[in-house]
Amino acid sequence: MFAFTFSSAFLPSLRRTLLASLGLLTPALVSAQTIVSFAPTTAAAGSTVVITGLNLGTTTSVQLNGQKMRVVGTPTATSVSVIVPPAAATGRMRLTTSTGTVLSAKLGITRKSSSVSYGQQSTAFTGTTASGNYSTPTAGDLDNDGLVELLVGQGDGTVMLYEQASANSLTLGTGVLLKNADGTTLDVGLYAKPTVADLDGNGLLELLVGEDTGNVLRYEQLATSGAGALQFTKTTLFANPFGAATSGAPNGGSYARPTVADLDNNGLLDILVGSNDGTLRRYEQATPNASTTAGFTAWGQLKLANGTVIDAGDVDKPLLTDYNGDGYLDMLVGTKAGTVMLYTQSGLNAVTFNAGTNLSTDGTSAGLINLGATGTNPSNVGGYAAPAVTDLDGDGLLDLFLGNGNGTIFRYEQAQSATTPSLVAPLPVQLTAFEGAALATGNRLNWATAQEVNSKVFVVEASADGKTFATVAELPAAGRSVSPRAYEYFDASAAAAAVRYYRLRQVDLDGTVAYSPVVVLRRSVASAPATAEAYPNPFTQALSVALPGSAEPQAVAVSLTTLAGRPVYAAKLDLGAAPQALAALPELAAGVYVLRLTTATGIITRKVTRQ
């Protein structure tokens, strides 16, 4: 088993590559926020994680796989403390400040149990609403007080909030209707199906609410606490992505239900939307913190690993979570019939899933969860199962809440497994950097690992549209290495391409496969500098750099890092064909360093040696 992780030392480099490739990098952001480390590196729900770094004092949001991590105390320039949310899954923390966004290495989430059996406990409560039917729950903490809130979308289009009476309590308070900014009742029309997110990273939570006609509406709260936390401003995020009704599925474009996570762990949130026709659509942020329709890329219907379109049955209501605590994201899908399907992620960071199986209370067919007419858990409460997951009582075992057609909500709790892995997500292959530069003669790709265990090969895959990838090269991996290793590949076939997407497919000796985040390289072929030069190399005290292919001087962000990714120098220069000495270069230890030049058309890297 293996996984990719990015060490905190290389994250500034990775962040620059991602943002530069998306056209977002300006010289002013090069010295923005940085995550240096965090502790502990593995943690359970409810634990405090301390993130250390630079320029963190204006932190507005920290998220883990799309879930809000509650900030404890006041962030400082070098430290932010956050609480692991109840239903957290292993992934990279996304920290947003007033100047930008940065990603951490993976935070491993430990669990008390890895069981997929969830025994029925009780009816949590019966909705006391105007409509009293078609309950769709989701969990969150809107007012930032550390108490779990169950938000329930209802058939009449409103959303009710039920808050815990106290920490770790199974008792929920009286329901309160959520409001619009003007004090009127939040009402989407019919069949409200909410989920909680913070798409734009500003610290204000959003309700993404699907509704009867298939639209997904975005409601952002007015404040992070107090009365304003329960009042919202409205925009439309997606306008009926499912198309017109079909003869085989009346109102086939209706009853949208969104769910949010970061499937491929690239720091860009994914939204999956279910509907009445049983299929699901995937949308991904095109840039960090995108929160408008134009800011998302539509990737079409969600599929199984074999390419088959997923069809979970009519009125499917998806939820992304780590259901069994194995470090992979799972998808629960409730159906009109009253059953709940479990789809496991087909690989680490994959955007496809394995074939679905029906959830059971005890792992047997006799215990099949079914809220429909032929169901026994409980018998015939109207079908339309709608899943939500949290740990309401704080006992380390997940609670599964199921809404249904008659408006009640039932609670199921995870069974204690006989053995629980000590580490949820083993990380034998640690990819510490993956970046590239668009040059006039082609694209150069560089990546590095901190360690490798049982690694076989790195497969470089390229795409012209970011959707269909093909193999362009295979490089042997180390097999086993406990010291940093660097890899490089030059893709000469990309010389004429305005944009090219790249990813690494890492294959282990046992055949296991995982993918890296995607690197996007763009070029203006006429203006891109052919190369960068460093003089002398090796150097002793002084080092000069130049862009021989640049007709006019241009703004360049220059940095030096160690091979382990530790930054040792940064500056902003106007560079052209004439060599220019790096001013105020510190006294460096003898060794090999990575010189990185970030221009308006791409990133160029060179290795230089200090004698």
Side-chain angles (χ1 to χ4, degrees), residues 57 64 68 85 112 122 169 345 391 434 439 449 583:
L64 177 62
K68 171 186 173 182
K112 188 174 181 179
S122 63
S169 172
Q345 199 174 16
D391 180 8
F434 178 39
L439 309 178
T449 60

Side-chain angles (χ1 to χ4, degrees), residues 350-424:
V351 296
T352 57
F353 291 83
N354 298 313
T357 58
N358 284 302
L359 284 188
S360 171
T361 58
D362 58 5
T364 70
S365 57
L368 177 71
I369 291 178
N370 190 338
L371 308 183
T374 61
T376 57
N377 301 96
S379 178
N380 194 14
V381 291
Y384 294 95
V389 167
T390 188
D391 180 8
L392 196 63
D393 52 3
D395 63 355
L397 300 171
L398 290 181
D399 299 298
L400 169 66
F401 292 92
L402 292 181
N404 52 76
N406 75 358
T408 54
I409 294 181
F410 291 85
R411 172 178 167 256
Y412 300 75
E413 186 170 65
Q414 187 179 30
Q416 175 70 65
S417 54
T419 59
T420 301
S422 57
L423 241 182
V424 173

Side-chain angles (χ1 to χ4, degrees), residues 16 25-27 30 555-559 570-573 596-599:
R16 286 195 295 271
L25 186 63
T26 64
V30 173
V556 178
V558 181
S559 68
K572 301 168 191 174
L573 303 174
R596 182 172 291 102
L597 305 180
T598 302
T599 73

Side-chain angles (χ1 to χ4, degrees), residues 136 191 193 210-211 214 216 241-242 249-259 272-282 301-303 309-319 331-343 383-387:
T136 300
Y191 307 117
K193 300 175 180 64
E211 46 86 76
V216 176
F242 301 96
N251 298 316
S254 303
Y255 310 131
R257 200 275 171 95
T259 184
L272 306 185
V273 184
S275 84
N276 188 43
D277 67 4
T279 63
L280 305 102
R281 267 66 172 177
R282 173 181 169 239
Q301 293 178 316
L302 201 64
K303 297 181 179 181
V309 172
I310 294 175
D311 186 346
D314 291 349
V315 194
D316 56 351
K317 300 178 180 179
L319 172 73
M331 182 172 64
L332 301 182
V333 183
T335 69
K336 175 182 177 180
T339 59
V340 182
M341 300 289 289
L342 169 63
Y343 293 84
Y384 294 95

Side-chain angles (χ1 to χ4, degrees), residues 560-601:
L560 279 172
T561 64
T562 66
L563 287 180
R566 181 175 61 85
V568 296
Y569 178 81
K572 301 168 191 174
L573 303 174
D574 288 331
L575 282 184
Q580 186 171 336
L582 299 184
L585 191 66
E587 184 71 27
L588 299 175
V592 178
Y593 294 84
V594 177
L595 171 68
R596 182 172 291 102
L597 305 180
T598 302
T599 73
T601 57

